[in-house]
Amino acid sequence: AQRVTQPEKLLSVFKGAPVELKCNYSYSGSPELFWYVQYSRQRLQLLLRHISRESIKGFTADLNKGETSFHLKKPFAQEEDSAMYYCALYGGATNKLIFGTGTLLAVQP
Amino acid sequence: DSGVTQTPKHLITATGQRVTLRCSPRSGDLSVYWYQQSLDQGLQFLIQYYNGEERAKGNILERFSAQQFPDLHSELNLSSLELGDSALYFCASSVEFKGSPLHFGNGTRLTVT
């Protein structure tokens, strides 16, 4: 089965603190992983994808196939990072892009 | 703005009724996806079309159907509506049908009373 798990519904941190949004997946084939973000009053948009191996807005995510994880990290949180974050998995065999239930990141001043 | 456009923004209807949600993909995108977002279930994949053909199906109910037209816009038809169908329905588009980043619309909020 193709499944994405985001165990935290809400993550609250203070400005300047490190952030890690957890994402675990289940997929028998070779997955493509994504992080999407939805800021207040804006559309859901792509933040980053694992094949790009880039840092966007200070966020990085490494695919760990051994732990079947794709956690999103940022060393120093900013208030403008407050948003809903969704981890997503594309399965080539199923041709489906499946999303996790999302984690609301709240960065306190 | 040549992004993904969804109409209507809001829809209120009664149980048993039928509604049609419309989506115009981003210019140049051939693939359209439909997702349902309920309060406690996150984004549930419903169905995907590519250049007019169905490419992938998720947990779409038999009461629901969709199609993509030659001009690439898509419609999601929901019939025999139930209270539990109340949700935010998102459309997204991408260039290809395999793993390309999705561009989302603002969604249609459906309320069934």
Side-chain angles (χ1 to χ4, degrees):
Chain A
Q2 184 177 345
R3 188 165 53 242
V4 177
T5 303
Q6 293 181 253
E8 302 144 326
K9 283 192 173 181
L10 171 66
L11 181 63
S12 183
V13 302
F14 286 104
K15 177 182 173 181
V19 171
E20 182 178 67
L21 299 169
K22 290 184 168 48
C23 171
N24 288 90
Y25 67 90
S26 173
Y27 183 63
S28 56
S30 185
E32 287 187 47
L33 278 299
F34 304 80
W35 276 99
Y36 281 80
V37 60
Q38 187 170 28
Y39 300 102
S40 179
R41 302 181 189 282
Q42 293 188 27
R43 304 179 183 210
L44 192 61
Q45 58 187 285
L46 177 68
L47 179 62
L48 54 80
R49 55 193 305 192
H50 90 270
I51 61 172
S52 300
R53 302 182 67 83
E54 56 191 346
S55 173
I56 304 293
K57 299 185 178 181
F59 284 98
T60 59
D62 291 318
L63 177 60
N64 186 323
K65 291 189 177 181
E67 295 183 357
T68 59
S69 69
F70 188 58
H71 302 327
L72 184 67
K73 299 177 183 178
K74 184 169 183 176
F76 308 104
Q78 303 298 315
E79 289 181 66
E80 55 265 30
D81 295 328
S82 295
M84 193 74 176
Y85 291 81
Y86 293 93
C87 182
L89 163 66
Y90 173 75
T94 62
N95 202 32
K96 295 178 186 176
L97 183 65
I98 304 297
F99 285 80
T101 50
T103 298
L104 179 62
L105 174 64
V107 181
Q108 311 294 333
Chain B
D1 181 7
S2 60
V4 178
T5 304
Q6 287 187 250
T7 56
K9 288 185 179 179
H10 303 278
L11 201 48
I12 301 174
T13 189
T15 55
Q17 295 298 306
R18 172 190 169 94
V19 297
T20 297
L21 312 184
R22 182 189 168 100
C23 169
S24 293
R26 197 177 65 131
S27 178
D29 287 353
L30 298 178
S31 196
V32 170
Y33 305 72
W34 286 98
Y35 288 86
Q36 179 193 57
Q37 185 178 44
S38 305
L39 273 177
D40 57 350
Q41 291 203 17
L43 281 159
Q44 298 291 311
F45 171 67
L46 296 179
I47 198 164
Q48 180 205 355
Y49 283 85
Y50 177 77
N51 206 19
E53 292 186 9
E54 182 184 306
R55 286 293 183 174
K57 216 168 189 177
N59 299 323
I60 187 167
L61 300 172
E62 285 191 14
R63 299 184 286 108
F64 295 1
S65 65
Q67 55 183 325
Q68 186 180 28
F69 295 88
D71 67 352
L72 301 178
H73 91 271
S74 178
E75 292 182 355
L76 179 66
N77 301 296
L78 316 176
S79 61
S80 303
L81 285 169
E82 302 175 359
L83 295 178
D85 297 328
S86 296
L88 194 53
Y89 291 84
F90 283 106
C91 171
S93 71
S94 67
V95 173
E96 301 172 335
F97 70 90
K98 284 189 173 290
S100 300
L102 267 56
H103 301 270
F104 281 82
N106 283 323
T108 292
R109 182 166 295 283
L110 173 66
T111 302
V112 182
T113 62

